[in-house]
Amino acid sequence: MMNRNHTRNNAGSNRKSHTQGGRKNGGAGRASSQAVVDAPVQKNDEVVVDIIGLTHDGEGVGRADGYTLFIQGALPGERVRAKVMKVKKAYGYARLQELLEASADRIVPVCGIYDKCGGCQLQHMDYAAQLNWKRQHVVDALERIGKLRIAGEGETSSGIIVHPTVGMNDPWRYRNKAQVPVGASAGDGELVAGFYAKGSHRIIDTDECHIQHDRNDEVVRIVKAIGRELGVSAYNEETGQGLLRHVMTRTGFVSGEIMVVLVTNGRKLPQAEQWVERIRAALPEVKSIVQNVNTRDTNVIFGDETRVLWGSEVIYDELDGIRFAISARSFYQVNPAQTVELYRTAVDYAQLTGKESVIDAYCGIGTISLFLARKAGRVYGVEIVPEAIEDAKRNAELNGIGNASFEAGPAEVVIPRWREEGIIPDVIVVDPPRKGCDPALLDTILKMQPERVVYVSCNPSTLARDLRTLEDGGYKTVEVTPVDMFPWTSHVESVVWMKRSM
């Protein structure tokens, strides 16, 4: 399938980029950028640029006199006037000043703070165009980093098939979890909660996020109001003082159950009973009110201690008929509708007949494992986080699934031991973090030689790197299906089917 953005990008790269004759403010910026003497533009220059592509972060890529500029908010095929903000030897950054020629894919963002908030990157881009670009982003990484050959449209003889990105019928209100920082307003010191402005830790106070479940928005509004009424102080990153750091909430899309987590800078929560009483009165669906204690000077949201203030330590939800218990710190995919699409594809690629042994590396709380267990002979899950393994065991029991077992530890250590114990997998499934698979795990896979490997990835770059390693070790990449787990952002997940070729 040919990506229409990709076609436009190729055409655009043949055009000569234009600069405005006699750049405005040209001289003013040169004094502060003397170190970059070879750059054809300098800080504070205003230039007219043709946009020829997007970066993996969703920034427009343009060229001025052959020099690359990254411009947030610009789309391929557009001509823009931009002000140069930062100059480096090989590339620079510019701010969009004026749209001279708009792309047919440009739309008006729904969110009122889109231009300030850093949460979404692509609300100015038509959703169908986003799906096309995300597929092309995966293709580009596989070709450039993985040195893999992608099959052309209609081609079946050779090359990897990369399917169109699986999108959502309604790409709004899809997130089941919100975690927002809390601070104090610069004016009156009133408690605020919202999202960080792009590239900063300045909180933009907001009561609505269009990609959040509307109940999550409601919880944040209610907790913020209760905090103001109770006179709760907000945590200050600079001084380390203040109590409330973050509010986290989860909503079960199927169950309707709600969890509220107050992340505090200290174990003591003044007026804890009033917190519980007021949250319960405002939110009848709440099943769990939890405090997490984080006293460290860190950007990490959660601390090590979590205690239940009221209700259960978990809420329940379902994915494709499988029930899950979700605790405050459980990793649970935030887009349940697309998670089902992602995991169904992974199961399809595993090609299970009911007899196979399957190893699920990076199994988390057992989500993929339990999907696999419905069609496999036996599933073995491994995860380095002990709490997640306990959740996985509980979830297997919750669903009456007896052919899945779980063990805590590094996959590259546990899996070789399983091999010594006689566990020889037909399929290995990996779903690593953004940094990709540990090299030792890839080496373990190559030594284990399963018939098939299913790779679930949230980062096309590290996916391509790891596929290259597996290809060099005797595997062939057959198909890739990108899945849009995070509409309106630059992120894309992929599911890959590999088979042993030697």
Side-chain angles (χ1 to χ4, degrees):
M1 185 185 79
M2 179 61 71
N3 183 325
R4 60 177 176 174
N5 285 340
H6 183 58
T7 304
R8 180 181 293 127
N9 293 355
N10 283 342
S13 63
N14 293 324
R15 289 193 224 143
K16 182 179 178 181
S17 296
H18 297 271
T19 59
Q20 190 78 353
R23 299 183 188 103
K24 297 179 182 179
N25 301 324
R30 288 190 170 86
S32 61
S33 303
Q34 286 298 318
V36 193
V37 292
D38 295 330
V41 300
Q42 296 297 328
K43 184 176 180 181
N44 294 326
D45 280 359
E46 285 195 3
V47 293
V48 174
V49 185
D50 288 328
I51 306 302
I52 60 173
L54 291 178
T55 70
H56 65 277
D57 290 325
E59 295 175 312
V61 181
R63 289 197 168 84
D65 290 343
Y67 180 78
T68 300
L69 287 171
F70 300 126
I71 306 171
Q72 183 67 48
L75 294 176
E78 293 187 331
R79 178 171 294 177
V80 303
R81 189 188 312 281
K83 183 176 181 178
V84 179
M85 306 304 296
K86 183 184 292 186
V87 176
K88 297 190 176 185
K89 185 174 182 179
Y91 61 90
Y93 295 89
R95 179 183 298 155
L96 180 61
Q97 299 287 89
E98 182 183 1
L99 189 61
L100 302 177
E101 294 179 16
S103 166
D105 296 328
R106 179 172 287 277
I107 60 175
V108 177
V110 170
C111 178
I113 61 168
Y114 172 64
D115 60 337
K116 303 179 182 68
C117 175
C120 296
Q121 298 84 45
L122 298 175
Q123 275 196 28
H124 60 296
M125 188 179 197
D126 175 73
Y127 187 57
Q130 290 180 48
L131 298 180
N132 289 338
W133 173 72
K134 289 183 180 187
R135 177 190 180 273
Q136 191 60 44
H137 179 30
V138 173
V139 168
D140 290 344
L142 296 181
E143 290 180 330
R144 179 174 53 86
I145 300 172
K147 309 302 181 187
L148 300 169
R149 185 180 183 280
I150 308 303
E153 187 174 2
E155 183 181 349
T156 58
S157 58
S158 64
I160 300 164
I161 298 171
V162 180
H163 293 286
T165 306
V166 178
M168 301 187 72
N169 292 329
D170 181 5
W172 299 104
R173 299 292 182 186
Y174 60 82
R175 289 185 62 94
N176 59 21
K177 182 179 80 169
Q179 46 191 28
V180 299
V182 176
S185 67
D188 55 12
E190 186 176 59
L191 201 70
V192 297
F195 302 98
Y196 290 125
K198 292 175 185 176
S200 79
H201 270 212
R202 179 174 58 85
I203 297 172
I204 301 171
D205 189 37
T206 183
D207 289 330
E208 183 177 37
C209 174
H210 293 275
I211 63 173
Q212 286 290 348
H213 191 292
D214 53 8
R215 298 315 302 271
N216 289 341
D217 278 344
E218 184 180 11
V219 171
V220 173
R221 288 195 299 268
I222 287 169
V223 170
K224 187 162 49 176
I226 293 172
R228 289 170 178 170
E229 292 168 4
L230 297 179
V232 173
S233 61
Y235 176 70
N236 185 305
E237 289 183 341
E238 295 182 0
T239 66
Q241 302 299 307
L243 180 66
L244 192 58
R245 297 179 68 132
H246 279 80
V247 177
M248 194 274 273
T249 178
R250 295 184 189 266
T251 296
F253 272 40
V254 174
S255 68
E257 297 182 356
I258 294 174
M259 170 181 284
V260 179
V261 183
L262 306 176
V263 182
T264 59
N265 179 38
R267 196 171 191 278
K268 183 178 180 181
L269 178 62
Q271 307 175 87
E273 292 183 1
Q274 292 190 54
W275 270 111
V276 169
E277 179 182 332
R278 296 190 186 196
I279 290 173
R280 291 184 62 195
L283 295 164
E285 302 92 337
V286 71
K287 299 295 181 182
S288 174
I289 304 175
V290 175
Q291 178 191 7
N292 176 268
V293 181
N294 185 358
T295 58
R296 292 174 294 182
D297 179 14
T298 175
N299 290 334
V300 177
I301 292 175
F302 282 115
D304 295 330
E305 181 182 1
T306 303
R307 59 194 187 114
V308 177
L309 299 176
W310 176 86
S312 171
E313 69 172 341
V314 299
I315 61 171
Y316 294 92
D317 203 21
E318 292 183 14
L319 291 173
D320 202 28
I322 302 176
R323 200 164 182 232
F324 291 94
I326 309 159
S327 62
R329 299 180 64 186
S330 292
F331 173 78
Y332 185 71
Q333 292 277 14
V334 301
N335 186 335
Q338 292 296 87
T339 297
V340 172
E341 297 291 339
L342 190 78
Y343 291 172
R344 283 178 177 171
T345 303
V347 173
D348 287 346
Y349 281 173
Q351 297 184 309
L352 303 174
T353 65
K355 300 178 181 179
E356 293 82 4
S357 291
V358 183
I359 288 178
D360 179 11
Y362 305 102
C363 72
I365 66 171
T367 43
I368 294 182
S369 299
L370 301 186
F371 271 69
L372 293 163
R374 294 191 292 189
K375 293 192 174 182
R378 186 79 191 175
V379 176
Y380 303 87
V382 57
E383 166 65 50
I384 198 168
V385 180
E387 294 86 353
I389 288 297
E390 293 307 309
D391 284 342
K393 292 176 179 178
R394 176 166 49 187
N395 288 327
E397 183 177 355
L398 185 64
N399 290 278
I401 294 176
N403 63 332
S405 56
F406 302 93
E407 184 170 338
E412 60 274 12
V413 173
V414 173
I415 294 175
R417 178 167 51 74
W418 283 346
R419 184 185 185 189
E420 293 174 0
E421 296 170 358
I423 297 172
I424 308 297
D426 302 289
V427 182
I428 291 182
V429 178
V430 296
D431 183 9
R434 289 191 62 78
K435 66 181 182 179
C437 289
D438 188 291
L441 175 59
L442 294 175
D443 186 57
T444 297
I445 292 172
L446 295 176
K447 289 177 180 177
M448 297 282 277
Q449 289 286 295
E451 287 294 324
R452 292 174 295 285
V453 174
V454 179
Y455 194 131
V456 181
S457 167
C458 61
N459 185 338
S461 297
T462 54
L463 168 67
R465 178 201 66 199
D466 292 348
L467 294 188
R468 180 71 270 158
T469 299
L470 293 172
E471 288 248 349
D472 291 343
Y475 282 85
K476 176 178 174 55
T477 305
V478 182
E479 288 187 20
V480 180
T481 298
V483 179
D484 189 23
M485 295 288 288
F486 308 101
W488 313 108
T489 79
S490 58
H491 300 291
V492 59
E493 300 229 357
S494 303
V495 190
V496 180
W497 166 25
M498 304 189 83
K499 64 180 182 182
R500 196 172 65 201
S501 59
M502 61 178 68

